[in-house]
Amino acid sequence: MARRPFDIGVIVFRFRSGALLASLLLLLVACGSDDGATLPDTAAAPDGEREVVVLTHDSFDVSTDVIALFEETHGITVRLVPLGDAGTALNQAILTADAPQGDILFGVDNTFLTRALDADLFDPYLPGNFEQINANVLEELQAWSSAAAFSVDNPPPLVPITYGDVCVNYDKAWFAARDLAVPTDFVDLVDPAYRGLLTIMNPATSSPGLAFMLASITAFDDEYLSYWRQLTDNDVLITNGWSQAYYDEFSASGGDRPLVVSYASSPPAEVLFADPPVDEAPTGVLLDTCFRQVEFAGILNGAANRAEAELFLEFMLDIPFQEDIPLTMFVFPVNTQAVLPDVFVEHAEMPETVTSFGLLTDTQRDVFLTEWSAIMLG
Amino acid sequence: MTFSPSKRAVRALRKRGARTAAFALVITFFTVFFAFPLFSIVARGLLSADTPVVTLFADLFATERFRRVLWFTVWQATVSTVLTLVVALPGAYVLSRVAFRGRQVLRSLVMVPFVLPTVVVGSAFLAVLGPRTPLNPLLQVVFQDPTFTLDLRRSVTAILIAHVFFNYAVVVRTVGGVWSLLDPRLDDAARTLGAGRLRAFFSVTLPALKAAIASAATIVFLFTFTSFGVILILGGVTRATIEVEIHRATTQLLDLPLAAALSVVQLVAVIATLWVYGRIQRRVVYPAFVSERDVAQTPRGVLERSFLAANLVVMALLLALPLLVLVERSLQTPSGYGLRHYVAVFTTQPTTALGVSGAKALTNTLMFGVWATLIAVSIGTLTALLAASRQSFAARLLDRSLMVPLGTSAVTLGFGFLLAFRYLPPQLRSSAALIPIVQAVVATPFVVRTVLPVLTGIDKNVRDAARVLGASHRQVTRHIDVPIASRAVLAAAGFAFAIAVGEFGATVFLARAEYPTLPVAIFRLLGRPGITNFGEAMALSVILALMTATAIVLIDRLRLGNIGRF
């Protein structure tokens, strides 16, 4: 019999390097299943210390001193766990509903609201400062509840924390240079004068894309299919993601097209992140093309730190957190008493009223997306 | 040396014990951190369907959209693989057999594309293949048309080019690794016997490289089969792979039965691919390896020099140009070129809870990368040793199974981890240690594929000769096997590091707020409007590329005392 060309036994046990390798490996595997000293553990507060675990989507952010304020006031450690985009974060929470990864989920928006509510993920709670919330952003939640107004006896499963508008943005310099009037509404966008100027996102892969689609359905009611056909005829460009549309196609960032679906807060962000500083935002917003996104947070059923979660949920509606929202997440606070930062007062435009789409069910979304794909993607 | 029967029995037992332990270790690792999570999510999806499983698949295959996606997935993966081989095999030759200044460094540098996030590379490719490409003047000369402007945005061509960009290194490392060990005298002998250059290549060199080429092709196929970011960014909105559909079903539609069915289809395709690969491997001729250190020869004559030059041009256009676009963008500020974005990522202290300081992201990335490399190299080398020492069914099965993660949906694996470990105590299920582990799951097959061909290729005659000349089994192992193997292991380490650092799809599900890595930081910055955010994202991408390049150059240079020389 031909001798085996290689002998593992010899390698592993005859040589020190081999033995070293094996022990290193065992150590590593142990680290994976054990609270290894080499990789500091991310979870588990020391015994006796209180903590709250907040699950969020990737766009969530908050200033460190605001978190520190909560931690010092209550002696509770806050742990933030970003879980991907809004859809991904919610789906992860639904998947692990029987053993939640945290105590609070932030970032369910109004387009995903019915899915979150149908999955019965949340343990209703009415924060003490609930009545400070702008009534407009409660519409959908109230519509779902169908009962009387929310109260201690009828607590809401989720509470709104932020809201913001998705609208078409335009490049001021581009239109000025060509002496072309800036379009104002959905109808203008299909005007041949603006042919080939607009970039939108695929609603199946992008949440501002979905918002724009829903805004057009609100605007055109039963005629939305024919509106989309006109958009296609007017040479609309569709990308899969926001950053591609905004950074690669939008003329304000070096692309070719001066109209792009983005947020109403993008112009103040352009001012805030300009370098050197600028006096005026280089971009503007078409206020008649907006869709209002409301983001909610709620306490998860089976939360390990229920009492701490209640305190944090209330904190999210309090002034320090609410006033921090504009410059960290670039959306608006729902608390009517929160004061907006100067850059928002000066450069953020917001539609006076936005017609609400109402509750969007998963079935409706599927139908719209299928129809949209059939027309827009052929 | 003689042993008493009892001593011999103990030794045999110990050897067998070691083998069993090694087997058990690799199988446990694979099962716990790959098979179990995958099984959890797929089983959950299939069982939660309202319809019987058979109907689920029947419905899936009945939809025109799915059939289109399946066809496109297979088609683009096949074409990408063939193209990558065509473009990169000459590159592998040049980088392993032709001596020229900077060859070693270049061999390390071709790994850089691997680690860059697709969203960043996609953006660079849009610039290189778009109407304002710096290639226009060149192309206008080539096509004799002064108005020629390139526009390959949102095209299949763009996807294919990007796939070659990302996978060039796979071929260079996997095939080049073996090529650099191949005895040049074989080729010389064939030529002496009257074979022409081409004939010698096809009848001597190619059969010897067959195993390595099959390995590389399989890896490239599996990688491009599960392509996601490249398709979304460069392919436009009308093209989708199965991976894109799984992602959509899981993260947007929350249609777990659909996602599970798609994952099963993907898995079946992967297993079929590995089966074909196994068939090829079975008829492989193991080449004779040399024992000299370097077989590279200085190019002689116009033909050889032009061949070298042509390959360098390909590398410059394909690999370097998109990277240069990144560098240019990272230096671009409203007031001209400058280092402002680089200064900003290292000096601006994050004031927000999820803000990321560049320095911290860099150290995290390095730390996870090093751990993942250690794990992958350990598990991968053990597997290669097992597969080389025993051509048993079990060893072959293990070797093939370790390849499956390459063709598995990252989002499926990510959600699988979540589901599989959900009942563990919080400090375990959200432990940062899971990050290097999942990176290692993806990096391990590269280690196996890099080390195994070298181990099996060690010339049996050399070992027999040593034995005949009186060397003990131990001496043969120490002086022949270990030196040759350790060189391959070191090469694999550089490879594993790049894979680990570049793994994003599954890692992102495990990344924690406390441990942002560079790719995570880049994504965060690109998710926000504002010129400085974009500039800083580009600067971080360049830093990621530089860090990887440095690490791989260092690993490739590493020689443990005399061990690397043989």
PDB file of all heavy atoms in Angstrom, chain B residues 143-160:
ATOM      1  N   PHE B 143     -10.297  54.350 -31.452  1.00  0.00           N
ATOM      2  CA  PHE B 143     -11.377  54.173 -32.417  1.00  0.00           C
ATOM      3  C   PHE B 143     -11.339  55.195 -33.553  1.00  0.00           C
ATOM      4  O   PHE B 143     -12.238  55.232 -34.380  1.00  0.00           O
ATOM      5  CB  PHE B 143     -12.736  54.226 -31.715  1.00  0.00           C
ATOM      6  CG  PHE B 143     -12.973  53.061 -30.808  1.00  0.00           C
ATOM      7  CD1 PHE B 143     -12.912  53.211 -29.434  1.00  0.00           C
ATOM      8  CD2 PHE B 143     -13.237  51.792 -31.321  1.00  0.00           C
ATOM      9  CE1 PHE B 143     -13.118  52.131 -28.590  1.00  0.00           C
ATOM     10  CE2 PHE B 143     -13.439  50.710 -30.484  1.00  0.00           C
ATOM     11  CZ  PHE B 143     -13.375  50.886 -29.119  1.00  0.00           C
ATOM     12  N   GLN B 144     -10.311  56.057 -33.554  1.00  0.00           N
ATOM     13  CA  GLN B 144     -10.187  57.066 -34.613  1.00  0.00           C
ATOM     14  C   GLN B 144     -11.445  57.913 -34.728  1.00  0.00           C
ATOM     15  O   GLN B 144     -11.872  58.275 -35.808  1.00  0.00           O
ATOM     16  CB  GLN B 144      -9.925  56.380 -35.978  1.00  0.00           C
ATOM     17  CG  GLN B 144      -8.649  55.573 -36.034  1.00  0.00           C
ATOM     18  CD  GLN B 144      -7.427  56.467 -36.136  1.00  0.00           C
ATOM     19  OE1 GLN B 144      -7.323  57.315 -37.000  1.00  0.00           O
ATOM     20  NE2 GLN B 144      -6.477  56.303 -35.224  1.00  0.00           N
ATOM     21  N   ASP B 145     -12.059  58.211 -33.579  1.00  0.00           N
ATOM     22  CA  ASP B 145     -13.292  58.973 -33.587  1.00  0.00           C
ATOM     23  C   ASP B 145     -13.207  60.012 -32.474  1.00  0.00           C
ATOM     24  O   ASP B 145     -13.301  59.693 -31.308  1.00  0.00           O
ATOM     25  CB  ASP B 145     -14.484  58.028 -33.362  1.00  0.00           C
ATOM     26  CG  ASP B 145     -15.793  58.778 -33.243  1.00  0.00           C
ATOM     27  OD1 ASP B 145     -15.799  60.024 -33.407  1.00  0.00           O
ATOM     28  OD2 ASP B 145     -16.823  58.120 -32.988  1.00  0.00           O
ATOM     29  N   PRO B 146     -12.992  61.286 -32.855  1.00  0.00           N
ATOM     30  CA  PRO B 146     -12.762  62.329 -31.843  1.00  0.00           C
ATOM     31  C   PRO B 146     -13.980  62.601 -30.966  1.00  0.00           C
ATOM     32  O   PRO B 146     -13.872  63.273 -29.949  1.00  0.00           O
ATOM     33  CB  PRO B 146     -12.386  63.558 -32.677  1.00  0.00           C
ATOM     34  CG  PRO B 146     -12.903  63.275 -34.045  1.00  0.00           C
ATOM     35  CD  PRO B 146     -12.891  61.793 -34.221  1.00  0.00           C
ATOM     36  N   THR B 147     -15.163  62.089 -31.353  1.00  0.00           N
ATOM     37  CA  THR B 147     -16.343  62.372 -30.546  1.00  0.00           C
ATOM     38  C   THR B 147     -16.721  61.194 -29.647  1.00  0.00           C
ATOM     39  O   THR B 147     -17.713  61.242 -28.924  1.00  0.00           O
ATOM     40  CB  THR B 147     -17.558  62.692 -31.442  1.00  0.00           C
ATOM     41  OG1 THR B 147     -17.740  61.587 -32.333  1.00  0.00           O
ATOM     42  CG2 THR B 147     -17.343  63.976 -32.214  1.00  0.00           C
ATOM     43  N   PHE B 148     -15.920  60.116 -29.722  1.00  0.00           N
ATOM     44  CA  PHE B 148     -16.277  58.910 -28.975  1.00  0.00           C
ATOM     45  C   PHE B 148     -16.355  59.187 -27.472  1.00  0.00           C
ATOM     46  O   PHE B 148     -15.439  59.727 -26.869  1.00  0.00           O
ATOM     47  CB  PHE B 148     -15.245  57.812 -29.234  1.00  0.00           C
ATOM     48  CG  PHE B 148     -15.606  56.509 -28.588  1.00  0.00           C
ATOM     49  CD1 PHE B 148     -16.382  55.581 -29.253  1.00  0.00           C
ATOM     50  CD2 PHE B 148     -15.176  56.228 -27.292  1.00  0.00           C
ATOM     51  CE1 PHE B 148     -16.729  54.387 -28.644  1.00  0.00           C
ATOM     52  CE2 PHE B 148     -15.515  55.041 -26.690  1.00  0.00           C
ATOM     53  CZ  PHE B 148     -16.294  54.121 -27.359  1.00  0.00           C
ATOM     54  N   THR B 149     -17.512  58.858 -26.879  1.00  0.00           N
ATOM     55  CA  THR B 149     -17.605  58.904 -25.417  1.00  0.00           C
ATOM     56  C   THR B 149     -18.127  57.560 -24.929  1.00  0.00           C
ATOM     57  O   THR B 149     -19.098  57.024 -25.460  1.00  0.00           O
ATOM     58  CB  THR B 149     -18.566  60.005 -24.914  1.00  0.00           C
ATOM     59  OG1 THR B 149     -19.624  60.113 -25.854  1.00  0.00           O
ATOM     60  CG2 THR B 149     -17.878  61.329 -24.722  1.00  0.00           C
ATOM     61  N   LEU B 150     -17.457  57.082 -23.907  1.00  0.00           N
ATOM     62  CA  LEU B 150     -17.821  55.782 -23.340  1.00  0.00           C
ATOM     63  C   LEU B 150     -19.026  55.963 -22.433  1.00  0.00           C
ATOM     64  O   LEU B 150     -19.109  56.932 -21.691  1.00  0.00           O
ATOM     65  CB  LEU B 150     -16.631  55.272 -22.517  1.00  0.00           C
ATOM     66  CG  LEU B 150     -16.713  53.856 -21.969  1.00  0.00           C
ATOM     67  CD1 LEU B 150     -16.526  52.856 -23.085  1.00  0.00           C
ATOM     68  CD2 LEU B 150     -15.649  53.658 -20.894  1.00  0.00           C
ATOM     69  N   ASP B 151     -19.998  55.066 -22.512  1.00  0.00           N
ATOM     70  CA  ASP B 151     -21.032  55.048 -21.485  1.00  0.00           C
ATOM     71  C   ASP B 151     -21.527  53.624 -21.265  1.00  0.00           C
ATOM     72  O   ASP B 151     -22.362  53.122 -21.999  1.00  0.00           O
ATOM     73  CB  ASP B 151     -22.192  55.975 -21.854  1.00  0.00           C
ATOM     74  CG  ASP B 151     -23.105  56.209 -20.649  1.00  0.00           C
ATOM     75  OD1 ASP B 151     -22.817  55.643 -19.575  1.00  0.00           O
ATOM     76  OD2 ASP B 151     -24.082  56.965 -20.771  1.00  0.00           O
ATOM     77  N   LEU B 152     -20.947  52.991 -20.246  1.00  0.00           N
ATOM     78  CA  LEU B 152     -21.335  51.615 -19.952  1.00  0.00           C
ATOM     79  C   LEU B 152     -22.114  51.531 -18.646  1.00  0.00           C
ATOM     80  O   LEU B 152     -22.263  50.470 -18.063  1.00  0.00           O
ATOM     81  CB  LEU B 152     -20.091  50.728 -19.861  1.00  0.00           C
ATOM     82  CG  LEU B 152     -19.348  50.490 -21.167  1.00  0.00           C
ATOM     83  CD1 LEU B 152     -18.053  49.753 -20.920  1.00  0.00           C
ATOM     84  CD2 LEU B 152     -20.219  49.700 -22.131  1.00  0.00           C
ATOM     85  N   ARG B 153     -22.609  52.691 -18.187  1.00  0.00           N
ATOM     86  CA  ARG B 153     -23.369  52.657 -16.941  1.00  0.00           C
ATOM     87  C   ARG B 153     -24.628  51.820 -17.144  1.00  0.00           C
ATOM     88  O   ARG B 153     -25.222  51.837 -18.212  1.00  0.00           O
ATOM     89  CB  ARG B 153     -23.753  54.083 -16.525  1.00  0.00           C
ATOM     90  CG  ARG B 153     -22.549  54.926 -16.158  1.00  0.00           C
ATOM     91  CD  ARG B 153     -22.943  56.348 -15.905  1.00  0.00           C
ATOM     92  NE  ARG B 153     -23.604  56.938 -17.078  1.00  0.00           N
ATOM     93  CZ  ARG B 153     -24.220  58.100 -17.053  1.00  0.00           C
ATOM     94  NH1 ARG B 153     -24.287  58.783 -15.945  1.00  0.00           N
ATOM     95  NH2 ARG B 153     -24.775  58.578 -18.144  1.00  0.00           N
ATOM     96  N   ARG B 154     -25.028  51.125 -16.087  1.00  0.00           N
ATOM     97  CA  ARG B 154     -26.229  50.297 -16.128  1.00  0.00           C
ATOM     98  C   ARG B 154     -26.217  49.299 -17.280  1.00  0.00           C
ATOM     99  O   ARG B 154     -27.170  49.161 -18.019  1.00  0.00           O
ATOM    100  CB  ARG B 154     -27.484  51.163 -16.204  1.00  0.00           C
ATOM    101  CG  ARG B 154     -27.678  52.003 -14.958  1.00  0.00           C
ATOM    102  CD  ARG B 154     -28.790  52.990 -15.085  1.00  0.00           C
ATOM    103  NE  ARG B 154     -28.460  54.109 -15.952  1.00  0.00           N
ATOM    104  CZ  ARG B 154     -27.738  55.161 -15.571  1.00  0.00           C
ATOM    105  NH1 ARG B 154     -27.275  55.225 -14.348  1.00  0.00           N
ATOM    106  NH2 ARG B 154     -27.483  56.138 -16.402  1.00  0.00           N
ATOM    107  N   SER B 155     -25.093  48.622 -17.450  1.00  0.00           N
ATOM    108  CA  SER B 155     -25.019  47.624 -18.508  1.00  0.00           C
ATOM    109  C   SER B 155     -24.435  46.327 -17.942  1.00  0.00           C
ATOM    110  O   SER B 155     -23.807  46.330 -16.890  1.00  0.00           O
ATOM    111  CB  SER B 155     -24.119  48.125 -19.638  1.00  0.00           C
ATOM    112  OG  SER B 155     -22.790  48.188 -19.181  1.00  0.00           O
ATOM    113  N   VAL B 156     -24.687  45.245 -18.672  1.00  0.00           N
ATOM    114  CA  VAL B 156     -24.117  43.960 -18.265  1.00  0.00           C
ATOM    115  C   VAL B 156     -22.594  44.021 -18.350  1.00  0.00           C
ATOM    116  O   VAL B 156     -21.882  43.456 -17.515  1.00  0.00           O
ATOM    117  CB  VAL B 156     -24.659  42.833 -19.161  1.00  0.00           C
ATOM    118  CG1 VAL B 156     -24.016  41.502 -18.800  1.00  0.00           C
ATOM    119  CG2 VAL B 156     -26.159  42.724 -19.004  1.00  0.00           C
ATOM    120  N   THR B 157     -22.095  44.739 -19.349  1.00  0.00           N
ATOM    121  CA  THR B 157     -20.646  44.864 -19.502  1.00  0.00           C
ATOM    122  C   THR B 157     -20.012  45.421 -18.238  1.00  0.00           C
ATOM    123  O   THR B 157     -18.966  44.949 -17.784  1.00  0.00           O
ATOM    124  CB  THR B 157     -20.328  45.805 -20.686  1.00  0.00           C
ATOM    125  OG1 THR B 157     -21.181  45.454 -21.769  1.00  0.00           O
ATOM    126  CG2 THR B 157     -18.894  45.693 -21.098  1.00  0.00           C
ATOM    127  N   ALA B 158     -20.666  46.441 -17.650  1.00  0.00           N
ATOM    128  CA  ALA B 158     -20.130  47.039 -16.424  1.00  0.00           C
ATOM    129  C   ALA B 158     -20.056  45.999 -15.308  1.00  0.00           C
ATOM    130  O   ALA B 158     -19.073  45.926 -14.562  1.00  0.00           O
ATOM    131  CB  ALA B 158     -21.004  48.219 -16.002  1.00  0.00           C
ATOM    132  N   ILE B 159     -21.099  45.173 -15.208  1.00  0.00           N
ATOM    133  CA  ILE B 159     -21.114  44.122 -14.183  1.00  0.00           C
ATOM    134  C   ILE B 159     -19.931  43.178 -14.400  1.00  0.00           C
ATOM    135  O   ILE B 159     -19.188  42.846 -13.470  1.00  0.00           O
ATOM    136  CB  ILE B 159     -22.433  43.314 -14.253  1.00  0.00           C
ATOM    137  CG1 ILE B 159     -23.618  44.189 -13.861  1.00  0.00           C
ATOM    138  CG2 ILE B 159     -22.364  42.077 -13.357  1.00  0.00           C
ATOM    139  CD1 ILE B 159     -24.950  43.475 -13.942  1.00  0.00           C
ATOM    140  N   LEU B 160     -19.758  42.745 -15.643  1.00  0.00           N
ATOM    141  CA  LEU B 160     -18.702  41.773 -15.941  1.00  0.00           C
ATOM    142  C   LEU B 160     -17.320  42.355 -15.649  1.00  0.00           C
ATOM    143  O   LEU B 160     -16.470  41.685 -15.046  1.00  0.00           O
ATOM    144  CB  LEU B 160     -18.801  41.316 -17.404  1.00  0.00           C
ATOM    145  CG  LEU B 160     -20.114  40.606 -17.793  1.00  0.00           C
ATOM    146  CD1 LEU B 160     -20.132  40.285 -19.271  1.00  0.00           C
ATOM    147  CD2 LEU B 160     -20.317  39.341 -16.969  1.00  0.00           C
TER     148      LEU B 160
END
